[in-house]
Amino acid sequence: MRNDNSPPPPESGSSISTDRPWFTRRSTLVVGVAALAPAALAGWVLAQVFAGSGPDGQARPTPLPASHSALSPGQRDAKPGSTPSESASTSPGAGTSSPAAAPAPAKGPLTGRTVVVDPGHNTGNFKHTDEIDQQVDIGTNRKECDTTGTTTNSGYMEAEFTMDVSTRLRTALEAQGAKVVLTHETGDRAWGPCITERARIGNEAKADAVVSVHADGVSAGNRGFHIILPATVKSGSADTAKIVDPSRELGERIAGNFARTTGSAPANYLGSGTGLVVRDDLGGLNLSTQPKVFIECGNMRDAKDAAQLTSPEWRQKAAQGIADGIVGFLGG
Ligand code: ZN
């Protein structure tokens, strides 16, 4: 991730050179982080993530069970006997996106549910800087249509990573019965879509949950994952009042399950160790009418994180963790 959603590194001058806007958003991010900063609150939030009780104190199934799956016994019962691999294997890489042409999903805890998965950036964005730099209205502000995203030091692109995890996530979700819509497919467009369109796709699908998949690009030594939650904003076409609470629950579920399946820790450079950050500067969140979070799966500029992000086996674990979090959110 970069520009659109890359939070500032903890020390000035440590960002990659083309990360021009991050420092301009420092004040916004500080507000978001500050909201989570007090130790008591941070500890409470962490307890929510890793112990699984809701913000309202209402008990709910833990997102961090000792077993390999977050699914409840009832959910597990619904899973066997389906043929997820068949339905999943026919949909990716079709060239043009055609959700309506997808085969009937498997039966499972997500049957009847729609999940929109947003692979952050586009591998073609580097060649279409004029197009992605066009300004779009995100309600609170105007900003670039889309951004290039970051890369590992060896050149593995964030956009490659996000598409790979997203297609794995689609397979996992379809195996649970969900209808899954990706905001774009490999090769179906030269650049983008714009962040406004990414949000609109989730809204028009009336998605029960939306996840935008990213990886961060900050200085080495910054490690771990974090989930970005929508702040309460109301300005222009942005009004997140109805999605703030469910999005937080979605994010907590994903954070707990992602930590469990990948073994990764919450980010050590923001979020006070909770793995959760609230931001009000992302069009993809501000314009969403459906519960939505971003996940930054790790830091592509850190060698240890990059070793994970470039591993297909790790990416499968990442996708499974996100999927389990969505199942917990929608099926719990
Ligand atoms: Zn990104």
Side-chain angles (χ1 to χ4, degrees):
M1 82 95 51
R2 202 177 66 187
N3 299 345
D4 173 59
N5 47 18
S6 182
E11 296 176 1
S12 62
S14 58
S15 177
I16 54 178
S17 61
T18 49
D19 250 355
R20 66 186 186 280
W22 67 258
F23 53 84
T24 66
R25 296 194 307 272
R26 177 177 291 276
S27 61
T28 299
L29 180 70
V30 167
V31 170
V33 173
L36 294 171
L41 178 59
W44 179 84
V45 171
L46 190 60
Q48 305 312 302
V49 172
F50 296 105
S53 77
D56 55 2
Q58 186 178 9
R60 59 180 196 234
T62 174
L64 276 177
S67 67
H68 71 285
S69 171
L71 303 180
S72 70
Q75 290 164 344
R76 287 199 188 96
D77 289 343
K79 183 180 177 183
S82 63
T83 54
S85 60
E86 291 180 20
S87 63
S89 62
T90 53
S91 48
T96 55
S97 175
S98 182
K107 291 278 193 270
L110 298 186
T111 296
R113 302 289 199 152
T114 299
V115 179
V116 169
V117 178
D118 176 38
H121 316 282
N122 182 321
T123 56
N125 283 358
F126 282 103
K127 297 178 180 174
H128 294 273
T129 53
D130 287 347
E131 290 90 339
I132 66 170
D133 282 348
Q134 64 185 294
Q135 297 287 298
V136 296
D137 184 353
I138 67 165
T140 53
N141 188 335
R142 290 181 67 80
K143 64 191 302 184
E144 295 88 353
C145 147
D146 204 16
T147 50
T148 58
T150 188
T151 68
T152 65
N153 292 334
S154 61
Y156 180 57
M157 296 169 62
E158 181 188 354
E160 296 176 80
F161 170 83
T162 65
M163 184 59 76
D164 182 83
V165 171
S166 294
T167 54
R168 293 173 187 273
L169 176 55
R170 169 166 57 190
T171 299
L173 292 168
E174 287 180 342
Q176 301 298 321
K179 174 186 176 184
V180 181
V181 178
L182 263 58
T183 59
H184 65 113
E185 303 272 357
T186 300
D188 72 343
R189 59 176 81 210
W191 53 273
C194 291
I195 54 177
T196 45
E197 183 177 353
R198 292 173 188 267
R200 186 165 61 246
I201 290 169
N203 297 346
E204 291 182 348
K206 296 182 170 56
D208 296 293
V210 187
V211 177
S212 187
V213 178
H214 291 263
D216 215 345
V218 293
S219 55
N222 296 303
R223 295 200 60 193
F225 72 89
H226 66 279
I227 314 291
I228 305 174
L229 312 175
T232 301
V233 296
K234 183 172 176 58
S235 178
S237 52
D239 184 356
T240 59
K242 292 180 179 175
I243 69 162
V244 165
D245 287 347
S247 297
R248 174 170 286 273
E249 181 177 351
L250 172 63
E252 290 172 351
R253 295 282 190 163
I254 291 174
N257 283 286
F258 189 88
R260 176 180 54 80
T261 60
T262 63
S264 291
N268 64 5
Y269 57 100
L270 76 183
S272 302
T274 64
L276 302 172
V277 175
V278 176
R279 288 178 59 175
D280 65 4
D281 62 324
L282 300 179
L285 294 179
N286 287 1
L287 298 175
S288 183
T289 61
Q290 312 304 119
K292 181 172 182 177
V293 299
F294 281 42
I295 180 168
E296 299 282 0
C297 295
N299 176 18
M300 300 197 91
R301 295 285 174 167
D302 178 85
K304 291 179 179 175
D305 271 14
Q308 297 178 322
L309 297 164
T310 55
S311 160
E313 292 77 17
W314 190 90
R315 293 196 297 270
Q316 183 61 34
K317 294 175 184 176
Q320 190 61 53
I322 299 169
D324 287 351
I326 293 169
V327 170
F329 172 66
L330 294 177

PDB file of all heavy atoms in Angstrom, residues 1-2 5 121 149 158 214-215 296, ligand 1:
ATOM      1  N   MET A   1       0.815  -1.149   0.000  1.00  0.00           N
ATOM      2  CA  MET A   1       0.000   0.000   0.000  1.00  0.00           C
ATOM      3  C   MET A   1       0.867   1.222   0.000  1.00  0.00           C
ATOM      4  O   MET A   1       1.951   1.214   0.494  1.00  0.00           O
ATOM      5  CB  MET A   1      -0.885  -0.038   1.211  1.00  0.00           C
ATOM      6  CG  MET A   1      -0.230   0.438   2.440  1.00  0.00           C
ATOM      7  SD  MET A   1      -0.673   2.044   2.526  1.00  0.00           S
ATOM      8  CE  MET A   1      -2.367   1.827   2.316  1.00  0.00           C
ATOM      9  N   ARG A   2       0.375   2.257  -0.509  1.00  0.00           N
ATOM     10  CA  ARG A   2       1.119   3.486  -0.535  1.00  0.00           C
ATOM     11  C   ARG A   2       0.155   4.585  -0.892  1.00  0.00           C
ATOM     12  O   ARG A   2      -0.816   4.363  -1.568  1.00  0.00           O
ATOM     13  CB  ARG A   2       2.221   3.387  -1.594  1.00  0.00           C
ATOM     14  CG  ARG A   2       3.342   4.371  -1.347  1.00  0.00           C
ATOM     15  CD  ARG A   2       4.420   4.173  -2.359  1.00  0.00           C
ATOM     16  NE  ARG A   2       3.950   4.524  -3.688  1.00  0.00           N
ATOM     17  CZ  ARG A   2       4.681   4.310  -4.776  1.00  0.00           C
ATOM     18  NH1 ARG A   2       5.842   3.748  -4.689  1.00  0.00           N
ATOM     19  NH2 ARG A   2       4.229   4.668  -5.947  1.00  0.00           N
ATOM     20  N   ASN A   5      -3.421   4.622   1.332  1.00  0.00           N
ATOM     21  CA  ASN A   5      -3.759   4.090   2.632  1.00  0.00           C
ATOM     22  C   ASN A   5      -2.536   3.725   3.448  1.00  0.00           C
ATOM     23  O   ASN A   5      -2.624   2.954   4.367  1.00  0.00           O
ATOM     24  CB  ASN A   5      -4.660   2.876   2.461  1.00  0.00           C
ATOM     25  CG  ASN A   5      -4.121   1.943   1.421  1.00  0.00           C
ATOM     26  OD1 ASN A   5      -2.938   2.041   1.076  1.00  0.00           O
ATOM     27  ND2 ASN A   5      -4.943   1.053   0.927  1.00  0.00           N
ATOM     28  N   HIS A 121      -5.045  -1.825  -5.303  1.00  0.00           N
ATOM     29  CA  HIS A 121      -4.185  -1.391  -6.420  1.00  0.00           C
ATOM     30  C   HIS A 121      -4.408  -2.255  -7.671  1.00  0.00           C
ATOM     31  O   HIS A 121      -5.390  -2.975  -7.761  1.00  0.00           O
ATOM     32  CB  HIS A 121      -2.719  -1.351  -5.983  1.00  0.00           C
ATOM     33  CG  HIS A 121      -2.535  -0.721  -4.626  1.00  0.00           C
ATOM     34  ND1 HIS A 121      -2.568   0.639  -4.435  1.00  0.00           N
ATOM     35  CD2 HIS A 121      -2.364  -1.283  -3.389  1.00  0.00           C
ATOM     36  CE1 HIS A 121      -2.402   0.891  -3.143  1.00  0.00           C
ATOM     37  NE2 HIS A 121      -2.288  -0.243  -2.493  1.00  0.00           N
ATOM     38  N   GLY A 149       0.564   1.363  -5.094  1.00  0.00           N
ATOM     39  CA  GLY A 149       0.927   0.367  -4.102  1.00  0.00           C
ATOM     40  C   GLY A 149       2.439   0.274  -3.983  1.00  0.00           C
ATOM     41  O   GLY A 149       3.180   0.902  -4.741  1.00  0.00           O
ATOM     42  N   GLU A 158       2.876  -5.118  -4.516  1.00  0.00           N
ATOM     43  CA  GLU A 158       1.719  -5.228  -3.626  1.00  0.00           C
ATOM     44  C   GLU A 158       0.489  -5.661  -4.400  1.00  0.00           C
ATOM     45  O   GLU A 158      -0.312  -6.463  -3.914  1.00  0.00           O
ATOM     46  CB  GLU A 158       1.455  -3.894  -2.922  1.00  0.00           C
ATOM     47  CG  GLU A 158       0.269  -3.969  -1.963  1.00  0.00           C
ATOM     48  CD  GLU A 158      -0.126  -2.618  -1.397  1.00  0.00           C
ATOM     49  OE1 GLU A 158       0.574  -1.622  -1.657  1.00  0.00           O
ATOM     50  OE2 GLU A 158      -1.161  -2.559  -0.695  1.00  0.00           O
ATOM     51  N   HIS A 214      -4.521  -5.393   1.336  1.00  0.00           N
ATOM     52  CA  HIS A 214      -3.313  -4.596   1.083  1.00  0.00           C
ATOM     53  C   HIS A 214      -2.130  -5.185   1.823  1.00  0.00           C
ATOM     54  O   HIS A 214      -2.259  -6.083   2.660  1.00  0.00           O
ATOM     55  CB  HIS A 214      -3.518  -3.153   1.576  1.00  0.00           C
ATOM     56  CG  HIS A 214      -4.494  -2.373   0.777  1.00  0.00           C
ATOM     57  ND1 HIS A 214      -4.126  -1.518  -0.222  1.00  0.00           N
ATOM     58  CD2 HIS A 214      -5.855  -2.352   0.817  1.00  0.00           C
ATOM     59  CE1 HIS A 214      -5.211  -0.978  -0.757  1.00  0.00           C
ATOM     60  NE2 HIS A 214      -6.279  -1.466  -0.144  1.00  0.00           N
ATOM     61  N   ALA A 215      -0.944  -4.648   1.516  1.00  0.00           N
ATOM     62  CA  ALA A 215       0.244  -4.835   2.355  1.00  0.00           C
ATOM     63  C   ALA A 215       0.909  -3.471   2.445  1.00  0.00           C
ATOM     64  O   ALA A 215       0.811  -2.651   1.532  1.00  0.00           O
ATOM     65  CB  ALA A 215       1.177  -5.873   1.768  1.00  0.00           C
ATOM     66  N   GLU A 296      -3.990  -4.625   6.188  1.00  0.00           N
ATOM     67  CA  GLU A 296      -2.586  -4.516   5.775  1.00  0.00           C
ATOM     68  C   GLU A 296      -1.912  -5.767   6.320  1.00  0.00           C
ATOM     69  O   GLU A 296      -1.688  -5.897   7.518  1.00  0.00           O
ATOM     70  CB  GLU A 296      -1.945  -3.251   6.360  1.00  0.00           C
ATOM     71  CG  GLU A 296      -2.588  -1.949   5.928  1.00  0.00           C
ATOM     72  CD  GLU A 296      -2.181  -1.528   4.524  1.00  0.00           C
ATOM     73  OE1 GLU A 296      -1.393  -2.243   3.888  1.00  0.00           O
ATOM     74  OE2 GLU A 296      -2.661  -0.465   4.068  1.00  0.00           O
TER      75      GLU A 296
HETATM   76 ZN    ZN B   1      -2.167  -0.727  -0.500  1.00  0.00          ZN
END
